[in-house]
Amino acid sequence: MKKWSLRFVNMLITDIVSIFAHESMKKRSLRSFCARLIFETCPLCSSNYLSDAFSFGVGTITTIPAVQIFCIYTCCALVLTFLYQITFFCALLSLATKWEAEGRHCLWLTTTIAPKLASSPSSRLLWLGSRPHPDPKHPSNTKHCSATKFFQNWYAPILMQPAIKALAGLWYCIYVGFAIYGCMHLREGLEPVNLLVDDSYAKPHYLALEQHFWHYGATLQIVVSSAPNLRDSQERKRVNEMVHAFANSPHAIGDESVQFWMKEMERYYRSEHNTTMKDE
């Protein structure tokens, strides 16, 4: 849903920019046109991109690596897209507006020809283009297209109605209320079986695991990154004390649940070689 909403907003912004550019370039100089265009459209672009970047930026504080990487990537992509929109895109749009005002072709940058001079399909395809009249008050420059009439006479007046504003504010408050309620009732407990579809062949397997084997939850693996000198009996004693502390914490079930390689090695020395670990 997020993807489609972003795509719709981008299409709407592009349409508004195109309509505004087509209508404004007939009446304003290039400098005033670009300034007016940025003034009209940048607040909408800024609120759209920066709010989405902030929402994904919040996701970077999660402890799940996959979600964290995805949020970082998406946040950076949105920020870079926003910077592209207000820099390179505006510069390119000003050049395209200048070329159109000069009657140039959008691809070949050559002077376009009038429609009545285009005798062949190839000339119509390659050499036709917009040719604004030099006089800003000419009827061809004051005529509005159907899209402009729709936004100006229907869409904008409806949005500006007090009832529509109140309805939009009400829906936003309802949305915020549901969001706060959902955040306050988050609970840990996502089981693997809930990630499968109902007809998955693996679902009976996970149900059997939950019923017969997973009474104590998932196994916790602990890694000691800076291992001590295990040839020293005192160091081995400290390691065993650490393992005992973890095994008897409130979230564990005791020493009988521990799988520790050093205990297995000591058992191997006693049973197979009838000896113990030697200190150095």
Side-chain angles (χ1 to χ4, degrees):
M1 187 65 184
K2 189 74 171 178
K3 179 180 179 181
W4 282 105
S5 62
L6 284 174
R7 184 176 299 176
F8 173 75
V9 171
N10 289 334
M11 292 171 58
L12 181 60
I13 292 174
T14 303
D15 292 340
I16 294 174
V17 169
S18 301
I19 296 170
F20 185 81
H22 181 72
E23 296 299 325
S24 299
M25 64 173 293
K26 305 172 184 177
K27 306 175 184 179
R28 295 184 174 93
S29 64
L30 180 61
R31 182 184 297 272
S32 62
F33 157 71
C34 292
R36 183 65 179 177
L37 177 64
I38 295 175
F39 173 78
E40 293 288 345
T41 59
C42 276
L44 180 60
C45 295
S46 301
S47 60
N48 176 43
Y49 282 105
L50 296 183
S51 61
D52 290 331
F54 177 76
S55 62
F56 282 104
V58 173
T60 59
I61 64 177
T62 183
T63 57
I64 304 175
V67 177
Q68 188 180 47
I69 293 173
F70 172 77
C71 290
I72 292 174
Y73 166 79
T74 309
C75 180
C76 293
L78 288 170
V79 171
L80 292 177
T81 303
F82 171 71
L83 295 177
Y84 158 79
Q85 292 280 356
I86 63 175
T87 54
F88 179 76
F89 176 76
C90 292
L92 187 62
L93 183 62
S94 65
L95 289 176
T97 304
K98 178 182 178 182
W99 296 334
E100 186 173 356
E102 295 174 353
R104 297 188 183 185
H105 196 274
C106 60
L107 294 179
W108 318 121
L109 302 183
T110 56
T111 304
T112 57
I113 61 177
K116 60 182 180 180
L117 299 179
S119 57
S120 62
S122 60
S123 60
R124 289 180 177 274
L125 179 64
L126 299 177
W127 304 116
L128 288 182
S130 59
R131 299 172 59 85
H133 197 276
D135 185 9
K137 298 182 180 180
H138 192 270
S140 62
N141 291 334
T142 58
K143 182 177 63 175
H144 296 285
C145 62
S146 57
T148 303
K149 293 179 180 179
F150 169 76
F151 282 105
Q152 184 176 2
N153 300 329
W154 294 93
Y155 189 75
I158 291 176
L159 289 182
M160 294 298 103
Q161 292 294 327
I164 300 299
K165 293 181 180 180
L167 182 62
L170 177 62
W171 276 112
Y172 180 75
C173 293
I174 294 175
Y175 163 76
V176 172
F178 275 107
I180 295 175
Y181 177 82
C183 292
M184 294 177 62
H185 289 78
L186 286 177
R187 296 292 183 270
E188 184 180 1
L190 180 62
E191 302 297 340
V193 68
N194 296 329
L195 301 176
L196 303 173
V197 295
D198 294 335
D199 57 348
S200 174
Y201 67 91
K203 192 166 186 177
H205 169 72
Y206 282 106
L207 290 175
L209 287 177
E210 290 182 359
Q211 183 178 359
H212 301 289
F213 298 99
W214 284 354
H215 296 291
Y216 300 107
T219 303
L220 175 65
Q221 297 183 0
I222 300 175
V223 178
V224 179
S225 58
S226 299
N229 183 12
L230 297 179
R231 293 174 295 182
D232 188 347
S233 60
Q234 295 299 323
E235 295 293 343
R236 293 199 302 272
K237 181 179 178 181
R238 291 180 57 195
V239 172
N240 285 322
E241 290 175 352
M242 179 195 68
V243 173
H244 176 76
F246 277 114
N248 292 274
S249 64
H251 302 286
I253 60 175
D255 292 320
E256 62 274 10
S257 64
V258 175
Q259 296 179 355
F260 186 30
W261 66 269
M262 195 165 68
K263 289 185 177 181
E264 299 297 330
M265 188 175 66
E266 291 176 348
R267 187 180 300 111
Y268 170 77
Y269 282 154
R270 289 195 303 267
S271 61
E272 299 294 334
H273 299 281
N274 195 22
T275 184
T276 59
M277 298 180 64
K278 304 296 183 181
D279 296 333
E280 293 185 3

